[in-house]
Amino acid sequence: MEGNTRAKGFYRPASLILSLMLLAFPVHAQDVIWVIANPEHAAHGQFIQGLRDSLSKATQSIPTLRLLRPAELAGISIPERPILSITVGSRAAEFLNKAKLEPQRELHALIPQAAYQKLYPQWKTDSLASTHSAIYVNQPISRLLRLARLVLTDSPRIGVLLGPWSRIHEDELKRTGKVVNIHTIGAKRQLIPALQGILPRSNLLLALPDPTVYNRSSAHAVLLNSYRHRVPVLAFSRSYTRAGALLSLYSTPGQIGRQTGELVTRMATTGAWKLPPPTHPQYFSISINRQVAYSMGLSLATESELSVQLNAGKSSP
Amino acid sequence: MIKILVMVLSRLIASSLLLMPIAGLANSPALPSEDSVYFELPVVLSATRLEQPMLDTPASITVIDREMIVASGAREIYELFRMVPGFQVGSDNGGVHTVTYHGLGDQFSRRMQVLVDGRSVYTPAVGLVEWSNFSVDLDDIERIEVVRGPNAASYGANAFLGVISIHTRHPTVEQGTQLKVIRGGNGIEHYRARYAGSAGPLSFRASIGHRADDGFDRRHDSKRSTLGNLRAEWLIGSTDRLEFQAGFNDGRRQDGFIGDPLQNPRAKADSTHFGMLRWQHVFQPEHELSLQAYYNYFDRKETYGSGFFIPTPSPVTQRRYDLELEHRFSPHKHWRVVWGGSARLDQVDAPLFLGVSRPRLQNHLYRLFSNVEWHLLPALNFNAGVMMENNDITGTDWSPRLALNYRIRPRVAIRASISKSVRTPSFFENNVDWKMPIAGGGGATALIFLGSDTLQPEKIIARELGLIASTANGVFRLELKAFRNSLSQVISTSGGAPFTFINKSSATVEGLEGQLQWRPTPQTRFILSQSNGRTTSDAANLVASTPSATTHLLGIFDLGNRYDASFSFTRVSQMEWLGEGNLVPSFRRVDLRLARRFGARGNEGQIALIVQNLMERHIDFRDQNRLGRTGFLQLELPL
């Protein structure tokens, strides 16, 4: 909240001045990487830790990390041009995107795919290639569906509830042919009718992150209704598993930090600093709610067994 | 000029775009952030909400789910128990219904524990369940779990022949407003409105309704009542939940016969209400603590007597205060423990029945209970439970239970269990002191009933051998059990003028029963319940009270184009009800339901036609009650 206050009161004129300064006195600080994050945010803290741990293993020299809060983009006293800016989370990405600094390399980590595509509507075109990229916070649909197949004994009848943000996955879900029930809602109040529409026809509910559909206050409706229909939920966080989803597939901020660090190390090694296309998290975790599995009469392999199977089958469709 | 205007405007737009990020960041509907993935949640499906899989339950449990409730075509809650293997239902009149297991039942369901969301609703005075005085309606019910057999270790006092545990719908299961109207023959009128909504951490559901019918043909037994209930839940942080429930039912019920000196034609004015508060703290999904307190109130005003006796007002007021603590935890991954205690105060004011000299009777009941579940091996599950109860009427009683479930295949298990339970005599049985003033007797009274005040609890020892099996795809599910229940110190009336209650008889009920569910397609479901049994006893009336066979078949069909159909077939062989009941010859009953849904999917309305007892007119509970065919239309409108 402090950042917001600063943004309103101080950042606005300062950012303009800074932009002008950067244009007037371009300083090439090739040995600096900006990490734009809010270290008090638990997830950001874990990301930074994962990034640092990963970089500490590098054998060659890595540019210095310079940690900036999103709002501090405006307050930099010595204008510099980093070799790479890593934003952590949507807010940092949004600040950097809107700050209108001199074009630079941007890696947006821990960002929902939908947020990245909204910020950079041209994400599909070549104009961003090698200068802008992302490591999304959400899992690839293909990985989720592979896990669903490993868990379901019956032929899959997967139900998916999409919201305004997660509907970007609609085409991909339809293309797989494995997701039979897709329902899109536009507002929170449509959630329960939508659940009741798809649960009777599904044997698994695939939950994709979207704050309109899956938030703190909707968890009761989602989990109680699906349990009532004996439809297990495949969700996206350890917290959702603990709350009552059968299992979750997710990447911890630390895992995404590690992946970011490995990418930085690779680029530093080659010296080319060319960013690969946006990608989903490479490392992931699975958590299973054994009480829910037991109550639903489902016998699941262990988390590590499922992870191994999921990694082993990643090349198959 | 226009050119200049366009230039100025474009400059303005451009500069505002430059400034927008800052304003936008503060106010715009934000982009989804990483918090849309990493947000913290309270535990929703904690141990109390998760059901034990049938393969591992220590008792035979029959579940009546929402689909079955709707498909049954039932208009009243008591009717649902026809679907449970071994259960019989009957009506002493249009407003007094009874539910029993393998006979042994009179007009009161005295040997059954009935819980609504964990709140015990049998009345303290007679130990009966006033099925038509519930403040919850059929539409408020999500599911009913029926434990066929004693289970005091888990469900407390009165869990003697069986336990009926009714779970109402959670406020988040459906949202918005719904109106419902039922109109049909026999004066059937039922109007109901329900609203469910949520605001942040608070969710709530309220329903209110009015219902009426004319009861049996040629009987003075019409009834009408207004009922309502509220269920609200408040989530406090990620670990605590506070639930509040309240409800009422106010109405008038006719009863009695012309020419009967006690059961004179009369109207009973009943008023009931309750309030309940439950706090739950979840440490971990398998570790939780809950504390619940509730209050039940029941008040009846009626006037007894005609002809031989001077009509005498006989008000009855009953109150129950109950406080219960429950702690569930898992000390090791193979162990699950639940333990707790409760304190209860039952109060009855019934001067005509319990003696004018002692207008209020009280019973304090204290209970300690525990159940330990131990997965000895992945295929072997052991349950041991015990309840210790102390009450003012019979002192201290113990109710233990042991069960062993063994999975012979992943989806096939056998269960062996033995349990012991007691039923504490009711105030009426133990303390009745009922005198009626004689007409023209100059103040003389006749003693009708006199309790001995020395009754012992009824006892039951239940032995079961069960088989539970299902196919991997869920197409077939089977539950079978052979049972032998030995009852002793069974309380019955004795003598005449005055009558009294004594611990008179012993009885053994044994037989074979089960339920088979078949889902040949996702649109079709059949549920067959069958029970064959017999009672042997030194009391001929107990022997005659048990039907040798009961059958129920429920068929549910989704016909497509949003048409639903279902049928319910019941067959009960000859039985003779105890108390006011009579010999009921073997009968068959068929109910049909045809419905069409309409409106937006997930928030549908529907219109349904239901015909009950399509085939033959038959006796229900007593000679005077002839049950004919009834039809009614039901309209549900979401707003």
Side-chain angles (χ1 to χ4, degrees), chain A residues 41 44 90 98 192 196 227-228 230 239 243 251 294-295, chain B residues 21 32 34-35 38 41 44-45 51 56 142 169 173 175 336:
Chain A
H41 190 294
H44 294 200
S90 295
K98 306 286 162 88
I192 288 171
Q196 288 174 350
Y227 184 67
R228 182 179 153 243
R230 292 295 182 272
S239 180
S251 299
Y294 172 66
S295 175
Chain B
E34 58 284 12
D35 293 332
Y38 300 120
L41 278 177
V44 179
L45 297 181
E51 294 145 30
D56 291 335
E142 178 60 47
R169 312 197 88 180
V173 164
Q175 298 259 289
R336 286 198 291 184

PDB file of all heavy atoms in Angstrom, chain A residues 41 44 90 98 192 196 227-228 230 239 243 251 294-295, chain B residues 21 32 34-35 38 41 44-45 51 56 142 169 173 175 336:
ATOM      1  N   HIS A  41       6.491  -9.167  -0.047  1.00  0.00           N
ATOM      2  CA  HIS A  41       5.499 -10.128  -0.520  1.00  0.00           C
ATOM      3  C   HIS A  41       6.113 -11.522  -0.419  1.00  0.00           C
ATOM      4  O   HIS A  41       7.210 -11.767  -0.948  1.00  0.00           O
ATOM      5  CB  HIS A  41       5.146  -9.788  -1.970  1.00  0.00           C
ATOM      6  CG  HIS A  41       3.972 -10.534  -2.509  1.00  0.00           C
ATOM      7  ND1 HIS A  41       3.989 -11.890  -2.689  1.00  0.00           N
ATOM      8  CD2 HIS A  41       2.744 -10.115  -2.901  1.00  0.00           C
ATOM      9  CE1 HIS A  41       2.816 -12.267  -3.178  1.00  0.00           C
ATOM     10  NE2 HIS A  41       2.034 -11.206  -3.314  1.00  0.00           N
ATOM     11  N   HIS A  44       7.270 -13.149  -3.589  1.00  0.00           N
ATOM     12  CA  HIS A  44       8.425 -12.484  -4.200  1.00  0.00           C
ATOM     13  C   HIS A  44       9.706 -12.834  -3.458  1.00  0.00           C
ATOM     14  O   HIS A  44      10.753 -13.064  -4.064  1.00  0.00           O
ATOM     15  CB  HIS A  44       8.227 -10.965  -4.205  1.00  0.00           C
ATOM     16  CG  HIS A  44       7.097 -10.512  -5.083  1.00  0.00           C
ATOM     17  ND1 HIS A  44       6.979  -9.235  -5.551  1.00  0.00           N
ATOM     18  CD2 HIS A  44       6.038 -11.191  -5.575  1.00  0.00           C
ATOM     19  CE1 HIS A  44       5.887  -9.132  -6.295  1.00  0.00           C
ATOM     20  NE2 HIS A  44       5.291 -10.307  -6.311  1.00  0.00           N
ATOM     21  N   SER A  90       2.736  -9.399 -11.486  1.00  0.00           N
ATOM     22  CA  SER A  90       2.034  -8.557 -12.454  1.00  0.00           C
ATOM     23  C   SER A  90       2.260  -7.071 -12.215  1.00  0.00           C
ATOM     24  O   SER A  90       2.383  -6.291 -13.148  1.00  0.00           O
ATOM     25  CB  SER A  90       0.528  -8.824 -12.397  1.00  0.00           C
ATOM     26  OG  SER A  90       0.275 -10.126 -12.797  1.00  0.00           O
ATOM     27  N   LYS A  98       4.450   0.495 -18.175  1.00  0.00           N
ATOM     28  CA  LYS A  98       3.866   1.826 -18.298  1.00  0.00           C
ATOM     29  C   LYS A  98       4.880   2.941 -18.041  1.00  0.00           C
ATOM     30  O   LYS A  98       4.570   4.108 -18.218  1.00  0.00           O
ATOM     31  CB  LYS A  98       2.684   1.985 -17.324  1.00  0.00           C
ATOM     32  CG  LYS A  98       1.610   0.906 -17.444  1.00  0.00           C
ATOM     33  CD  LYS A  98       0.777   1.092 -18.684  1.00  0.00           C
ATOM     34  CE  LYS A  98       0.017  -0.152 -19.083  1.00  0.00           C
ATOM     35  NZ  LYS A  98      -1.258  -0.355 -18.539  1.00  0.00           N
ATOM     36  N   ILE A 192     -22.189 -20.343  -9.098  1.00  0.00           N
ATOM     37  CA  ILE A 192     -22.902 -21.537  -8.617  1.00  0.00           C
ATOM     38  C   ILE A 192     -23.777 -22.166  -9.711  1.00  0.00           C
ATOM     39  O   ILE A 192     -23.703 -23.380  -9.914  1.00  0.00           O
ATOM     40  CB  ILE A 192     -23.664 -21.216  -7.324  1.00  0.00           C
ATOM     41  CG1 ILE A 192     -22.633 -21.054  -6.202  1.00  0.00           C
ATOM     42  CG2 ILE A 192     -24.657 -22.309  -6.965  1.00  0.00           C
ATOM     43  CD1 ILE A 192     -23.167 -20.532  -4.919  1.00  0.00           C
ATOM     44  N   GLN A 196     -23.183 -25.968 -11.090  1.00  0.00           N
ATOM     45  CA  GLN A 196     -24.248 -26.969 -11.117  1.00  0.00           C
ATOM     46  C   GLN A 196     -24.545 -27.432 -12.536  1.00  0.00           C
ATOM     47  O   GLN A 196     -25.062 -28.514 -12.741  1.00  0.00           O
ATOM     48  CB  GLN A 196     -25.496 -26.409 -10.435  1.00  0.00           C
ATOM     49  CG  GLN A 196     -25.270 -26.330  -8.932  1.00  0.00           C
ATOM     50  CD  GLN A 196     -26.381 -25.659  -8.181  1.00  0.00           C
ATOM     51  OE1 GLN A 196     -27.277 -25.062  -8.778  1.00  0.00           O
ATOM     52  NE2 GLN A 196     -26.338 -25.737  -6.866  1.00  0.00           N
ATOM     53  N   TYR A 227     -17.594 -31.734  -4.126  1.00  0.00           N
ATOM     54  CA  TYR A 227     -17.596 -32.925  -3.257  1.00  0.00           C
ATOM     55  C   TYR A 227     -18.990 -33.559  -3.228  1.00  0.00           C
ATOM     56  O   TYR A 227     -19.129 -34.773  -3.229  1.00  0.00           O
ATOM     57  CB  TYR A 227     -17.147 -32.550  -1.841  1.00  0.00           C
ATOM     58  CG  TYR A 227     -17.036 -33.731  -0.913  1.00  0.00           C
ATOM     59  CD1 TYR A 227     -16.060 -34.698  -1.118  1.00  0.00           C
ATOM     60  CD2 TYR A 227     -17.915 -33.892   0.150  1.00  0.00           C
ATOM     61  CE1 TYR A 227     -15.964 -35.798  -0.276  1.00  0.00           C
ATOM     62  CE2 TYR A 227     -17.816 -34.992   1.003  1.00  0.00           C
ATOM     63  CZ  TYR A 227     -16.839 -35.930   0.789  1.00  0.00           C
ATOM     64  OH  TYR A 227     -16.754 -37.023   1.609  1.00  0.00           O
ATOM     65  N   ARG A 228     -19.996 -32.711  -3.224  1.00  0.00           N
ATOM     66  CA  ARG A 228     -21.374 -33.190  -3.221  1.00  0.00           C
ATOM     67  C   ARG A 228     -21.652 -34.030  -4.472  1.00  0.00           C
ATOM     68  O   ARG A 228     -22.366 -35.023  -4.415  1.00  0.00           O
ATOM     69  CB  ARG A 228     -22.279 -31.961  -3.182  1.00  0.00           C
ATOM     70  CG  ARG A 228     -23.721 -32.250  -3.134  1.00  0.00           C
ATOM     71  CD  ARG A 228     -24.496 -30.956  -3.065  1.00  0.00           C
ATOM     72  NE  ARG A 228     -25.793 -31.196  -3.642  1.00  0.00           N
ATOM     73  CZ  ARG A 228     -26.247 -30.604  -4.717  1.00  0.00           C
ATOM     74  NH1 ARG A 228     -25.527 -29.693  -5.327  1.00  0.00           N
ATOM     75  NH2 ARG A 228     -27.429 -30.898  -5.189  1.00  0.00           N
ATOM     76  N   ARG A 230     -19.345 -35.651  -5.947  1.00  0.00           N
ATOM     77  CA  ARG A 230     -18.241 -36.603  -5.992  1.00  0.00           C
ATOM     78  C   ARG A 230     -17.346 -36.370  -7.206  1.00  0.00           C
ATOM     79  O   ARG A 230     -16.886 -37.299  -7.859  1.00  0.00           O
ATOM     80  CB  ARG A 230     -18.756 -38.055  -5.987  1.00  0.00           C
ATOM     81  CG  ARG A 230     -19.407 -38.457  -4.674  1.00  0.00           C
ATOM     82  CD  ARG A 230     -18.369 -38.450  -3.545  1.00  0.00           C
ATOM     83  NE  ARG A 230     -18.919 -38.866  -2.270  1.00  0.00           N
ATOM     84  CZ  ARG A 230     -19.491 -38.056  -1.379  1.00  0.00           C
ATOM     85  NH1 ARG A 230     -19.588 -36.764  -1.622  1.00  0.00           N
ATOM     86  NH2 ARG A 230     -19.961 -38.515  -0.233  1.00  0.00           N
ATOM     87  N   SER A 239      -2.381 -24.506  -1.209  1.00  0.00           N
ATOM     88  CA  SER A 239      -3.442 -24.034  -0.332  1.00  0.00           C
ATOM     89  C   SER A 239      -4.799 -24.611  -0.759  1.00  0.00           C
ATOM     90  O   SER A 239      -5.633 -24.973   0.072  1.00  0.00           O
ATOM     91  CB  SER A 239      -3.464 -22.511  -0.374  1.00  0.00           C
ATOM     92  OG  SER A 239      -4.459 -22.010   0.444  1.00  0.00           O
ATOM     93  N   ALA A 243      -7.288 -27.039   1.326  1.00  0.00           N
ATOM     94  CA  ALA A 243      -8.684 -26.663   1.551  1.00  0.00           C
ATOM     95  C   ALA A 243      -9.659 -27.760   1.142  1.00  0.00           C
ATOM     96  O   ALA A 243     -10.786 -27.797   1.640  1.00  0.00           O
ATOM     97  CB  ALA A 243      -8.999 -25.380   0.788  1.00  0.00           C
ATOM     98  N   SER A 251       3.696 -24.487  -9.428  1.00  0.00           N
ATOM     99  CA  SER A 251       5.125 -24.212  -9.284  1.00  0.00           C
ATOM    100  C   SER A 251       5.263 -23.218  -8.156  1.00  0.00           C
ATOM    101  O   SER A 251       4.544 -22.217  -8.119  1.00  0.00           O
ATOM    102  CB  SER A 251       5.688 -23.629 -10.573  1.00  0.00           C
ATOM    103  OG  SER A 251       5.525 -24.571 -11.617  1.00  0.00           O
ATOM    104  N   TYR A 294      -9.129 -40.527   0.112  1.00  0.00           N
ATOM    105  CA  TYR A 294      -9.642 -41.663   0.877  1.00  0.00           C
ATOM    106  C   TYR A 294     -11.167 -41.632   0.925  1.00  0.00           C
ATOM    107  O   TYR A 294     -11.845 -42.630   0.687  1.00  0.00           O
ATOM    108  CB  TYR A 294      -9.043 -41.607   2.289  1.00  0.00           C
ATOM    109  CG  TYR A 294      -9.620 -42.598   3.269  1.00  0.00           C
ATOM    110  CD1 TYR A 294      -9.425 -43.962   3.093  1.00  0.00           C
ATOM    111  CD2 TYR A 294     -10.346 -42.161   4.375  1.00  0.00           C
ATOM    112  CE1 TYR A 294      -9.945 -44.863   4.005  1.00  0.00           C
ATOM    113  CE2 TYR A 294     -10.865 -43.063   5.284  1.00  0.00           C
ATOM    114  CZ  TYR A 294     -10.663 -44.412   5.094  1.00  0.00           C
ATOM    115  OH  TYR A 294     -11.196 -45.302   5.984  1.00  0.00           O
ATOM    116  N   SER A 295     -11.705 -40.450   1.194  1.00  0.00           N
ATOM    117  CA  SER A 295     -13.151 -40.326   1.306  1.00  0.00           C
ATOM    118  C   SER A 295     -13.846 -40.597  -0.024  1.00  0.00           C
ATOM    119  O   SER A 295     -14.941 -41.148  -0.063  1.00  0.00           O
ATOM    120  CB  SER A 295     -13.511 -38.928   1.809  1.00  0.00           C
ATOM    121  OG  SER A 295     -14.891 -38.757   1.811  1.00  0.00           O
TER     122      SER A 295
ATOM    123  N   PRO B  21      -0.751   5.286 -16.783  1.00  0.00           N
ATOM    124  CA  PRO B  21      -0.275   4.151 -16.001  1.00  0.00           C
ATOM    125  C   PRO B  21      -0.419   4.343 -14.514  1.00  0.00           C
ATOM    126  O   PRO B  21      -0.803   3.437 -13.799  1.00  0.00           O
ATOM    127  CB  PRO B  21       1.203   4.041 -16.394  1.00  0.00           C
ATOM    128  CG  PRO B  21       1.507   5.188 -17.281  1.00  0.00           C
ATOM    129  CD  PRO B  21       0.208   5.699 -17.786  1.00  0.00           C
ATOM    130  N   PRO B  32      -4.794  -9.780 -13.480  1.00  0.00           N
ATOM    131  CA  PRO B  32      -4.652 -10.859 -12.506  1.00  0.00           C
ATOM    132  C   PRO B  32      -3.200 -10.948 -12.071  1.00  0.00           C
ATOM    133  O   PRO B  32      -2.303 -10.841 -12.900  1.00  0.00           O
ATOM    134  CB  PRO B  32      -5.079 -12.098 -13.292  1.00  0.00           C
ATOM    135  CG  PRO B  32      -4.918 -11.737 -14.720  1.00  0.00           C
ATOM    136  CD  PRO B  32      -5.147 -10.256 -14.824  1.00  0.00           C
ATOM    137  N   GLU B  34      -0.012 -12.648  -9.438  1.00  0.00           N
ATOM    138  CA  GLU B  34       0.439 -13.934  -8.919  1.00  0.00           C
ATOM    139  C   GLU B  34      -0.393 -14.349  -7.704  1.00  0.00           C
ATOM    140  O   GLU B  34      -0.455 -15.524  -7.366  1.00  0.00           O
ATOM    141  CB  GLU B  34       1.935 -13.860  -8.587  1.00  0.00           C
ATOM    142  CG  GLU B  34       2.354 -12.792  -7.571  1.00  0.00           C
ATOM    143  CD  GLU B  34       2.387 -11.377  -8.149  1.00  0.00           C
ATOM    144  OE1 GLU B  34       1.875 -11.168  -9.265  1.00  0.00           O
ATOM    145  OE2 GLU B  34       2.911 -10.477  -7.483  1.00  0.00           O
ATOM    146  N   ASP B  35      -1.078 -13.373  -7.084  1.00  0.00           N
ATOM    147  CA  ASP B  35      -1.935 -13.707  -5.941  1.00  0.00           C
ATOM    148  C   ASP B  35      -3.172 -14.495  -6.376  1.00  0.00           C
ATOM    149  O   ASP B  35      -3.844 -15.096  -5.547  1.00  0.00           O
ATOM    150  CB  ASP B  35      -2.381 -12.432  -5.217  1.00  0.00           C
ATOM    151  CG  ASP B  35      -1.205 -11.738  -4.547  1.00  0.00           C
ATOM    152  OD1 ASP B  35      -0.246 -12.454  -4.188  1.00  0.00           O
ATOM    153  OD2 ASP B  35      -1.238 -10.506  -4.415  1.00  0.00           O
ATOM    154  N   TYR B  38      -1.385 -17.771  -5.658  1.00  0.00           N
ATOM    155  CA  TYR B  38      -0.849 -18.055  -4.321  1.00  0.00           C
ATOM    156  C   TYR B  38      -1.692 -17.454  -3.202  1.00  0.00           C
ATOM    157  O   TYR B  38      -1.160 -16.845  -2.298  1.00  0.00           O
ATOM    158  CB  TYR B  38       0.583 -17.505  -4.214  1.00  0.00           C
ATOM    159  CG  TYR B  38       1.541 -18.089  -5.218  1.00  0.00           C
ATOM    160  CD1 TYR B  38       2.189 -17.280  -6.142  1.00  0.00           C
ATOM    161  CD2 TYR B  38       1.808 -19.446  -5.230  1.00  0.00           C
ATOM    162  CE1 TYR B  38       3.084 -17.803  -7.059  1.00  0.00           C
ATOM    163  CE2 TYR B  38       2.701 -19.978  -6.151  1.00  0.00           C
ATOM    164  CZ  TYR B  38       3.328 -19.158  -7.063  1.00  0.00           C
ATOM    165  OH  TYR B  38       4.208 -19.678  -7.956  1.00  0.00           O
ATOM    166  N   LEU B  41      -6.221 -20.106   1.730  1.00  0.00           N
ATOM    167  CA  LEU B  41      -7.621 -20.535   1.823  1.00  0.00           C
ATOM    168  C   LEU B  41      -7.888 -21.208   3.152  1.00  0.00           C
ATOM    169  O   LEU B  41      -7.009 -21.877   3.694  1.00  0.00           O
ATOM    170  CB  LEU B  41      -7.902 -21.576   0.737  1.00  0.00           C
ATOM    171  CG  LEU B  41      -8.216 -21.083  -0.659  1.00  0.00           C
ATOM    172  CD1 LEU B  41      -8.385 -22.262  -1.577  1.00  0.00           C
ATOM    173  CD2 LEU B  41      -9.488 -20.267  -0.636  1.00  0.00           C
ATOM    174  N   VAL B  44     -11.836 -26.186   3.744  1.00  0.00           N
ATOM    175  CA  VAL B  44     -13.278 -26.335   3.504  1.00  0.00           C
ATOM    176  C   VAL B  44     -13.712 -27.773   3.809  1.00  0.00           C
ATOM    177  O   VAL B  44     -14.634 -28.015   4.584  1.00  0.00           O
ATOM    178  CB  VAL B  44     -13.634 -25.959   2.048  1.00  0.00           C
ATOM    179  CG1 VAL B  44     -15.122 -26.145   1.804  1.00  0.00           C
ATOM    180  CG2 VAL B  44     -13.223 -24.523   1.758  1.00  0.00           C
ATOM    181  N   LEU B  45     -13.020 -28.726   3.195  1.00  0.00           N
ATOM    182  CA  LEU B  45     -13.386 -30.126   3.427  1.00  0.00           C
ATOM    183  C   LEU B  45     -12.558 -30.670   4.594  1.00  0.00           C
ATOM    184  O   LEU B  45     -11.597 -31.400   4.406  1.00  0.00           O
ATOM    185  CB  LEU B  45     -13.164 -30.956   2.161  1.00  0.00           C
ATOM    186  CG  LEU B  45     -14.016 -30.554   0.953  1.00  0.00           C
ATOM    187  CD1 LEU B  45     -13.723 -31.469  -0.233  1.00  0.00           C
ATOM    188  CD2 LEU B  45     -15.502 -30.613   1.280  1.00  0.00           C
ATOM    189  N   GLU B  51     -16.820 -37.793   4.322  1.00  0.00           N
ATOM    190  CA  GLU B  51     -17.434 -39.052   4.748  1.00  0.00           C
ATOM    191  C   GLU B  51     -16.419 -40.177   4.637  1.00  0.00           C
ATOM    192  O   GLU B  51     -15.590 -40.198   3.742  1.00  0.00           O
ATOM    193  CB  GLU B  51     -18.641 -39.348   3.867  1.00  0.00           C
ATOM    194  CG  GLU B  51     -19.744 -38.346   4.064  1.00  0.00           C
ATOM    195  CD  GLU B  51     -20.487 -38.073   2.781  1.00  0.00           C
ATOM    196  OE1 GLU B  51     -20.555 -38.979   1.940  1.00  0.00           O
ATOM    197  OE2 GLU B  51     -20.978 -36.940   2.621  1.00  0.00           O
ATOM    198  N   ASP B  56     -15.090 -48.826   4.606  1.00  0.00           N
ATOM    199  CA  ASP B  56     -14.448 -48.776   5.929  1.00  0.00           C
ATOM    200  C   ASP B  56     -15.375 -48.361   7.065  1.00  0.00           C
ATOM    201  O   ASP B  56     -14.914 -48.200   8.193  1.00  0.00           O
ATOM    202  CB  ASP B  56     -13.259 -47.807   5.887  1.00  0.00           C
ATOM    203  CG  ASP B  56     -12.114 -48.340   5.045  1.00  0.00           C
ATOM    204  OD1 ASP B  56     -12.032 -49.576   4.904  1.00  0.00           O
ATOM    205  OD2 ASP B  56     -11.329 -47.535   4.532  1.00  0.00           O
ATOM    206  N   GLU B 142     -29.952 -31.733   2.038  1.00  0.00           N
ATOM    207  CA  GLU B 142     -28.953 -32.112   1.046  1.00  0.00           C
ATOM    208  C   GLU B 142     -28.835 -33.631   0.972  1.00  0.00           C
ATOM    209  O   GLU B 142     -28.854 -34.214  -0.095  1.00  0.00           O
ATOM    210  CB  GLU B 142     -27.597 -31.506   1.455  1.00  0.00           C
ATOM    211  CG  GLU B 142     -26.443 -31.829   0.558  1.00  0.00           C
ATOM    212  CD  GLU B 142     -26.665 -31.339  -0.846  1.00  0.00           C
ATOM    213  OE1 GLU B 142     -27.072 -30.169  -0.985  1.00  0.00           O
ATOM    214  OE2 GLU B 142     -26.469 -32.108  -1.804  1.00  0.00           O
ATOM    215  N   ARG B 169     -28.870 -28.199   3.342  1.00  0.00           N
ATOM    216  CA  ARG B 169     -28.025 -27.692   2.255  1.00  0.00           C
ATOM    217  C   ARG B 169     -27.173 -26.520   2.750  1.00  0.00           C
ATOM    218  O   ARG B 169     -27.651 -25.649   3.465  1.00  0.00           O
ATOM    219  CB  ARG B 169     -28.887 -27.225   1.078  1.00  0.00           C
ATOM    220  CG  ARG B 169     -29.934 -28.237   0.689  1.00  0.00           C
ATOM    221  CD  ARG B 169     -30.472 -27.961  -0.688  1.00  0.00           C
ATOM    222  NE  ARG B 169     -29.630 -28.631  -1.645  1.00  0.00           N
ATOM    223  CZ  ARG B 169     -29.818 -28.609  -2.961  1.00  0.00           C
ATOM    224  NH1 ARG B 169     -30.805 -27.924  -3.472  1.00  0.00           N
ATOM    225  NH2 ARG B 169     -29.013 -29.259  -3.771  1.00  0.00           N
ATOM    226  N   VAL B 173     -24.465 -23.928  -1.788  1.00  0.00           N
ATOM    227  CA  VAL B 173     -24.814 -24.957  -2.764  1.00  0.00           C
ATOM    228  C   VAL B 173     -25.765 -24.410  -3.828  1.00  0.00           C
ATOM    229  O   VAL B 173     -25.765 -24.838  -4.969  1.00  0.00           O
ATOM    230  CB  VAL B 173     -25.389 -26.193  -2.038  1.00  0.00           C
ATOM    231  CG1 VAL B 173     -26.110 -27.110  -2.998  1.00  0.00           C
ATOM    232  CG2 VAL B 173     -24.272 -26.937  -1.337  1.00  0.00           C
ATOM    233  N   GLN B 175     -27.770 -20.503  -4.984  1.00  0.00           N
ATOM    234  CA  GLN B 175     -27.830 -19.079  -4.674  1.00  0.00           C
ATOM    235  C   GLN B 175     -29.063 -18.466  -5.326  1.00  0.00           C
ATOM    236  O   GLN B 175     -29.580 -18.981  -6.316  1.00  0.00           O
ATOM    237  CB  GLN B 175     -26.577 -18.373  -5.201  1.00  0.00           C
ATOM    238  CG  GLN B 175     -25.298 -18.883  -4.558  1.00  0.00           C
ATOM    239  CD  GLN B 175     -24.766 -17.991  -3.466  1.00  0.00           C
ATOM    240  OE1 GLN B 175     -24.286 -16.929  -3.711  1.00  0.00           O
ATOM    241  NE2 GLN B 175     -24.864 -18.447  -2.233  1.00  0.00           N
ATOM    242  N   ARG B 336      -7.049 -42.461  13.483  1.00  0.00           N
ATOM    243  CA  ARG B 336      -7.906 -41.275  13.557  1.00  0.00           C
ATOM    244  C   ARG B 336      -8.763 -41.375  14.811  1.00  0.00           C
ATOM    245  O   ARG B 336      -9.360 -42.425  15.086  1.00  0.00           O
ATOM    246  CB  ARG B 336      -8.789 -41.175  12.313  1.00  0.00           C
ATOM    247  CG  ARG B 336      -7.950 -40.735  11.112  1.00  0.00           C
ATOM    248  CD  ARG B 336      -8.773 -40.216   9.995  1.00  0.00           C
ATOM    249  NE  ARG B 336      -9.535 -41.284   9.380  1.00  0.00           N
ATOM    250  CZ  ARG B 336     -10.295 -41.101   8.320  1.00  0.00           C
ATOM    251  NH1 ARG B 336     -10.431 -39.917   7.796  1.00  0.00           N
ATOM    252  NH2 ARG B 336     -10.948 -42.120   7.801  1.00  0.00           N
TER     253      ARG B 336
END
